[in-house]
């Protein structure tokens, strides 16, 4: 069993590092400077320079790899590109080369021939297949939850009913297409507690609010509920969010839909409570990380 990520680590990464090390040395950087830029040891740079690291010729000869390495070497040597920016550019290229039929996908299928015969209904290198789409949503949700867990004071924003951070697939139609935290997030002795890893189909309430907002035109793929306070609402408004009120004592889907239709640009929905209903604020966003960041800014 070999994953495409192993191809990236074992063949793509050494090849690109070797090419970059050579290009940077050609531009006058010392071995120590190359090591700092690439985040590797000087001994590793020496191995690249002396050809002691096995590289993949097909990767090295790919025009896109050659062009990016040359561009990044110019930028890194001049200080116009940071190592983080270079990393992002390389990550983007990796994703392109992993897509169906491209270079890394070809190398992977050559290493695991059975992949080519797995069936037309599922292609491991198709970036839009359901498995990858769902995993991207869960990955984003995990990152958002880490932001909240590491944000000191988030527990103070959790309502009595608990909070939930949710995110959905691009074509979400019902709660089964929305991932969230089973059992919700609770304040346990001043500490935000996430009881288990996110799953699809475990959030009824916050998922319903997100789906209703999307159905009526909201450009959102994630949401969270926090406690309602006028000061929190004012702070969100000051940060540039557009707010809209809805009445949760009525049908949630209809009420949220009406609020979005009245205020199409709304990124914050709220309801001020009623008999047996806790007042809540719902923050919407393009992904779980941006929603978590918006909430963190309130602390």
């Amino acid at each position: 069993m070999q994953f495409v990520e192993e191809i990236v680590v074992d063949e793509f990464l050494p090849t690109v590092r070797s090419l970059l090390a050579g290009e940077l040395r050609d531009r006058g950087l010392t071995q120590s400077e190359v090591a700092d830029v690439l985040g590797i040891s000087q001994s590793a740079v020496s191995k690249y320079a002396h050809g002691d690291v096995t590289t993949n010729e097909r990767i090295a000869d790919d025009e896109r790899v050659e062009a990016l390495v040359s561009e990044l070497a110019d930028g890194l040597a001049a200080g116009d590109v940071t190592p983080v920016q270079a990393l992002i550019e390389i990550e983007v290229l990796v994703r392109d080369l992993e897509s169906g039929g491209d270079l890394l996908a070809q190398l992977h299928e050559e290493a695991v021939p059975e992949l080519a015969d797995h069936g037309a209904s599922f292609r491991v290198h198709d970036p839009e297949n359901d498995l990858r789409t769902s995993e991207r949503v869960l990955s984003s949700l995990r990152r958002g939850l880490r932001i909240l867990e590491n944000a000191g004071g988030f527990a103070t924003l959790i309502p009595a009913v608990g909070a939930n951070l949710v995110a959905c697939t691009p074509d979400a139609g019902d709660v089964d297409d929305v991932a969230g935290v089973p059992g919700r997030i609770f304040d346990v002795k001043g500490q935000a507690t996430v009881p288990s890893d996110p799953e699809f189909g475990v959030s009824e309430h916050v998922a319903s609010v997100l789906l209703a907002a999307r159905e009526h035109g909201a450009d959102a793929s994630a949401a969270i509920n926090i406690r309602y306070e006028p000061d929190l609402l004012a702070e969100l408004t000051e940060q540039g969010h557009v707010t809209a009120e809805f009445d949760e004592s009525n049908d949630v889907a209809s009420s949220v839909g009406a609020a979005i239709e009245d205020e199409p640009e709304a990124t914050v929905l709220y309801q001020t409570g009623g008999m047996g209903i806790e007042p809540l604020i719902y923050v919407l966003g393009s992904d779980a990380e941006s929603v978590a960041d918006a909430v963190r800014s309130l602390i």
Side-chain angles (χ1 to χ4, degrees):
M1 180 185 295
Q2 185 175 31
F3 294 95
V4 67
E5 288 79 8
E6 294 178 77
I7 303 292
V8 174
V9 171
D10 296 340
E11 300 191 42
F12 180 87
L13 184 56
T15 300
V16 170
R17 275 182 171 163
S18 178
L19 294 173
L20 260 178
E23 293 280 350
L24 289 171
R25 290 287 281 153
D26 289 345
R27 285 161 175 76
L29 273 70
T30 66
Q31 188 167 290
S32 175
E33 289 171 333
V34 173
D36 287 341
V37 167
L38 298 184
I40 58 179
S41 66
Q42 290 190 47
S43 62
V45 175
S46 178
K47 289 180 180 179
Y48 287 130
H50 291 92
D52 295 335
V53 176
T54 301
T55 59
N56 184 298
E57 290 187 7
R58 287 169 62 184
I59 294 174
D61 293 340
D62 186 275
E63 292 182 356
R64 292 161 296 181
V65 174
E66 291 180 336
L68 182 60
V69 166
S70 178
E71 178 184 337
L72 292 180
D74 286 339
L76 289 166
D80 298 329
V81 174
T82 68
V84 171
Q85 290 171 325
L87 173 63
I88 292 171
E89 291 297 324
I90 293 171
E91 283 277 8
V92 170
L93 178 58
V94 167
R95 301 309 159 217
D96 288 342
L97 297 179
E98 280 184 357
S99 62
D102 218 321
L103 180 59
L104 291 178
Q106 292 172 14
L107 293 173
H108 190 207
E109 291 192 353
E110 288 170 13
V112 189
E114 296 85 354
L115 284 173
D117 303 321
H118 190 69
S121 62
F122 172 76
R123 299 293 291 169
V124 69
H125 298 118
D126 178 4
E128 301 306 321
N129 75 56
D130 291 343
L131 181 59
R132 283 201 166 192
T133 298
S134 298
E135 186 52 44
R136 282 197 296 270
V137 172
L138 290 172
S139 179
S140 172
L141 198 47
R142 293 186 195 103
R143 290 192 294 270
L145 289 168
R146 283 197 295 272
I147 291 172
L148 295 176
E149 287 181 292
N150 294 328
F154 170 60
T156 64
L157 300 179
I158 298 175
V161 296
N164 212 334
L165 177 64
V166 304
C168 67
T169 58
D171 58 351
D174 56 41
V175 295
D176 288 335
D177 299 319
V178 183
V181 177
R184 300 188 184 184
I185 308 166
F186 284 98
D187 174 5
V188 179
K189 296 182 179 181
Q191 179 67 43
T193 301
V194 179
S196 58
D197 287 338
E199 300 175 16
F200 279 91
V202 297
S203 171
E204 185 72 32
H205 184 71
V206 184
S208 296
V209 171
L210 175 60
L211 290 169
R214 286 168 53 87
E215 184 179 351
H216 289 83
D219 184 17
S221 296
I224 192 173
N225 65 315
I226 58 175
R227 66 181 178 83
Y228 171 83
E229 290 290 347
D231 288 347
L232 293 175
L233 201 61
E235 177 65 23
L236 287 165
T237 301
E238 187 174 327
Q239 292 178 13
H241 290 276
V242 177
T243 65
E245 183 177 4
F246 71 99
D247 183 0
E248 196 165 349
S249 62
N250 298 320
D251 176 68
V252 172
S254 299
S255 297
V256 169
I260 293 294
E261 288 176 0
D262 289 342
E263 189 53 80
E265 301 302 316
T267 52
V268 171
L269 303 173
Y270 69 97
Q271 48 85 16
T272 55
M275 184 66 69
I277 298 176
E278 184 179 9
L280 296 170
I281 293 174
Y282 300 83
V283 181
L284 310 179
S286 58
D287 53 47
E289 297 101 308
S290 63
V291 170
D293 281 333
V295 170
R296 180 171 57 179
S297 71
L298 299 173
I299 301 170

